[in-house]
């Protein structure tokens, strides 16, 4: 599989994240986003969080792909049943990160995280492995996601939330 487009998408998201953060005024970052309970700064951290959780998502997929499909299907059902606690943790984590992590910290974390994803993607041998995921946790999750789908996920998540920012 040609990973070039995935690398390009990661870089586009990285550059866009830096531009959004650099161009926004402090007042704009404090302004409520459109369609979420976060302000713009917290939503930007949530957009970054999509990249940060990739290590766990990829590890889950690698592990569950070695098991019968029914195991990951059952795991996804259990996670779907726990959507309400997940939503609370997701909200609070993004609120905390977006409230207290300085802009420079968000920029640096973005660079380190996406660089690590590039390196990991370059080492992948079989992007067709995958597992079932909890579709109620995120609008970008599919019932079954391969490693290739997972590498596309944080950019899709980023683009989805980009439209909710209320920056000028």
């Amino acid at each position: 599989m040609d990973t070039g487009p995935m690398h390009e998408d990661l870089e586009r998201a990285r550059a866009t994240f830096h531009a959004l953060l650099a161009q926004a005024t402090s007042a704009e970052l404090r302004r409520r986003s459109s369609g979420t309970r976060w302000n713009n700064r917290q939503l930007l951290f949530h957009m970054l969080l999509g990249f940060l959780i990739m290590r766990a998502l990829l590890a889950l997929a690698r592990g569950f792909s070695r098991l019968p499909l029914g195991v990951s299907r059952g795991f996804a059902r259990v996670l779907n049943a726990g959507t309400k606690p997940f939503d609370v943790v997701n909200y609070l984590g993004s609120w905390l990160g977006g409230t207290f992590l300085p802009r420079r910290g968000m920029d640096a974390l973005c660079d380190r995280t996406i660089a690590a994803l590039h390196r990991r993607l370059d080492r992948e041998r079989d992007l067709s492995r995958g597992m079932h995921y909890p579709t109620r946790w995120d609008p970008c999750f599919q019932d079954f996601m391969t490693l290739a789908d997972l590498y596309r996920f944080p950019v899709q998540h980023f683009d989805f939330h980009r439209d909710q920012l209320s920056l000028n």
Side-chain angles (χ1 to χ4, degrees):
M1 172 177 276
D2 178 17
T3 59
M6 288 181 228
H7 284 293
E8 291 169 8
D9 283 345
L10 288 169
E11 278 307 298
R12 177 187 55 79
R14 186 188 66 75
T16 302
F17 183 83
H18 287 310
L20 289 168
L21 203 53
Q23 294 168 5
T25 65
S26 294
E28 287 175 324
L29 289 174
R30 287 190 304 272
R31 184 182 310 143
R32 171 135 357 255
S33 63
S34 175
T36 79
R37 296 184 307 170
W38 293 304
N39 65 31
N40 286 315
R41 184 182 174 122
Q42 293 159 348
L43 180 56
L44 278 165
F45 184 83
H46 178 76
M47 293 161 66
L48 176 58
L49 192 60
F51 295 93
L52 295 172
I53 65 168
M54 285 301 297
R55 183 177 303 185
L57 294 178
L58 292 166
L60 281 172
R62 284 189 197 96
F64 275 99
S65 69
R66 292 180 173 89
L67 302 171
L69 274 179
V71 176
S72 73
R73 188 177 295 114
F75 183 67
R77 282 189 197 129
V78 168
L79 293 179
N80 269 330
T83 298
K84 287 192 187 288
F86 167 80
D87 287 344
V88 171
V89 169
N90 185 35
Y91 172 78
L92 290 176
S94 297
W95 186 90
L96 286 168
T99 300
F100 295 108
L101 189 63
R103 284 190 202 210
R104 283 179 300 202
M106 289 173 68
D107 271 334
L109 187 56
C110 177
D111 284 341
R112 283 194 312 273
T113 303
I114 290 180
L117 287 173
H118 281 302
R119 289 190 302 272
R120 186 172 286 232
L121 178 57
D122 285 338
R123 292 190 314 264
E124 293 291 354
R125 298 288 178 242
D126 183 5
L127 292 171
S128 65
R129 295 167 52 188
M131 66 174 280
H132 290 275
Y133 274 86
T135 55
R136 292 177 57 197
W137 281 31
D138 190 277
C140 299
F141 277 172
Q142 303 164 35
D143 175 52
F144 186 88
M145 296 179 73
T146 64
L147 291 177
D149 295 328
L150 288 174
Y151 278 102
R152 291 182 195 103
F153 162 76
V155 175
Q156 292 168 342
H157 177 262
F158 181 90
D159 291 341
F160 174 82
H161 287 298
R162 167 65 183 93
D163 293 336
Q164 294 176 315
L165 291 168
S166 60
L167 303 171
N168 291 337

